[in-house]
Amino acid sequence: MPILLKFLRRSLLFLLAFGVALYACIYFSFRTDFPVISAKGPAVFTQPAWQFAFYGHIVGGILALTTGPFQFLRRLRNRNLQLHRRLGMVYVLAILLAAPCAFYAALYANEGWIARTGFACLAVAWFLTTVQAYLTIREKNVLAHKRWMVRSYACTAAAITLRLWLPIEMAGFHLSFPTAYQLVAWLCWIPNLLFAEWLITRRKYDL
């Protein structure tokens, strides 16, 4: 039974990660009538800097979402360490692009300073946890590397949890979109990091 549950958890993670990554591809139609874009107005979404940040964080986010889950497969690490390292490098480089872009894009987030601060803090946490994951493996501290990777992917998975929390807030708690969006800017990543810490400190958790 534990093996089955582990398989189901991993399958769900892969399904959600690839599902959100696929959904994000709709922005490469380069249409400006999506609410997240149109709400900013032409003065913002026509800026080259904002366009680079917006699409940069989408490209990096898609790569991080889809390569990250493979890094936690022990069998893959044991059988093909070189592939694990290459996927890990793609993951790190993707976030080194995406996190600064996300920080810049957060400065223009909809629904005011509460949402902007939440998304900006997420971008900083995403960058720092990933850099720590890279630095610790360079120091050959494998255990610390695994722990920082858990934290890093918890930040990456904010793209998933944002899309889970937002409808719950609006349909379940009947919050207005502005209020729900301000809350989700924090809810999409802080609980993720708390859950990551619980996994790390839990004795039975197999890193």
Side-chain angles (χ1 to χ4, degrees):
M1 191 65 176
I3 296 176
L4 176 60
L5 288 175
K6 190 174 184 179
F7 172 78
L8 291 174
R9 288 197 301 266
R10 286 182 175 176
S11 299
L12 181 61
L13 176 60
F14 273 86
L15 179 65
L16 290 172
F18 277 83
V20 171
L22 184 63
Y23 170 79
C25 290
I26 66 172
Y27 292 108
F28 292 108
S29 65
F30 300 106
R31 288 164 43 192
T32 59
D33 58 342
F34 296 113
V36 71
I37 298 176
S38 61
K40 300 180 190 334
V44 173
F45 67 66
T46 58
Q47 291 180 18
W50 182 87
Q51 291 174 346
F52 178 85
F54 181 75
Y55 290 104
H57 106 270
I58 291 176
V59 170
I62 287 173
L63 288 173
L65 269 175
T66 53
T67 57
F70 291 99
Q71 298 304 94
F72 300 106
L73 298 178
R74 174 184 284 188
R75 187 171 297 180
L76 175 65
R77 294 198 304 266
N78 292 341
R79 289 185 175 180
N80 196 332
L81 184 59
Q82 192 62 31
L83 177 60
H84 172 77
R85 288 172 175 168
R86 287 176 180 172
L87 287 174
M89 187 56 64
V90 171
Y91 178 84
V92 170
L93 291 175
I95 295 173
L96 291 182
L97 166 67
C101 287
F103 183 86
Y104 184 86
L107 302 180
Y108 295 91
N110 301 333
E111 310 309 335
W113 68 269
I114 295 177
R116 290 169 189 165
T117 305
F119 288 127
C121 289
L122 167 58
V124 172
W126 197 21
F127 183 85
L128 293 178
T129 54
T130 305
V131 168
Q132 283 296 322
Y134 174 75
L135 293 177
T136 47
I137 198 59
R138 291 287 295 176
E139 295 167 355
K140 302 189 185 305
N141 189 340
V142 176
L143 180 58
H145 167 70
K146 290 177 179 179
R147 290 173 173 174
W148 281 109
M149 271 298 296
V150 171
R151 296 180 181 112
S152 172
Y153 199 75
C155 293
T156 301
I160 299 171
T161 48
L162 182 149
R163 287 161 179 84
L164 297 176
W165 275 113
L166 199 55
I168 291 173
E169 290 176 333
M170 297 179 68
F173 294 94
H174 306 291
L175 299 179
S176 65
F177 179 79
T179 301
Y181 198 72
Q182 289 172 350
L183 285 174
V184 85
W186 299 90
L187 276 176
C188 70
W189 63 280
I190 291 179
N192 291 15
L193 282 178
L194 292 175
F195 181 67
E197 291 304 316
W198 177 77
L199 286 178
I200 290 167
T201 56
R202 182 183 172 201
R203 292 182 179 180
K204 293 183 179 179
Y205 178 59
D206 183 11
L207 288 169

